[in-house]
Amino acid sequence: MKKRPKSHSKSEATRLIKAIARDKDGMINVRSHAKKRMKERNADMLDILCAFRNGRIIEAPEWDADHNEWKYKFTGNKVDGETIAIIVNINENKKQLVLITVFETKK
């Protein structure tokens, strides 16, 4: 059994997500489920990047045993000001964010 990696605090995860989203070498991998949900919620990559710039992690991370990763709930505003939540995994070593799903939320 693989050892569970240490999770990041809410403030550290927020900082990492913002840094990776800003970094020209940073990557954002969108899982097929997230692509489907983005389409349903009229959100594109500009909306995701906008939310990453102005938002923050709002809850403690959740362990996903099926994927052996920590999931973080990041909430921010799309370009049109609508609030969305993004469930994301952080791969700090690869400078990569993995979008798991996206949903609308109340302000």
Side-chain angles (χ1 to χ4, degrees):
M1 181 178 217
K2 198 172 181 180
K3 185 179 176 187
R4 183 184 294 191
K6 185 179 179 298
S7 68
H8 298 288
S9 68
K10 291 188 287 186
S11 61
E12 179 64 8
T14 296
R15 186 194 66 74
L16 282 168
I17 289 168
K18 288 175 180 274
I20 292 169
R22 267 193 322 264
D23 192 324
K24 66 178 176 60
D25 295 324
M27 292 178 26
I28 299 178
N29 179 5
V30 184
R31 289 190 180 156
S32 59
H33 175 82
K35 285 180 188 174
K36 182 178 175 182
R37 295 298 179 247
M38 286 171 65
K39 186 175 181 177
E40 290 172 359
R41 285 142 178 104
N42 295 315
D44 59 23
M45 284 308 296
L46 287 176
D47 291 315
I48 299 299
L49 290 171
C50 185
F52 282 156
R53 281 190 214 102
N54 67 56
R56 63 187 173 92
I57 298 290
I58 60 168
E59 295 177 3
E62 179 183 326
W63 178 248
D64 181 347
D66 291 338
H67 293 97
N68 198 41
E69 65 188 13
W70 288 104
K71 298 188 302 187
Y72 298 87
K73 183 177 182 181
F74 195 98
T75 300
N77 296 325
K78 297 185 339 183
V79 174
D80 65 6
E82 187 177 326
T83 303
I84 58 170
I86 305 161
I87 305 300
V88 62
N89 167 263
I90 305 166
N91 186 326
E92 189 175 359
N93 295 333
K94 291 183 179 179
K95 289 187 182 179
Q96 182 181 50
L97 302 174
V98 179
L99 301 190
I100 299 167
T101 195
V102 176
F103 54 94
E104 296 168 346
T105 184
K106 302 220 187 284
K107 288 188 178 185

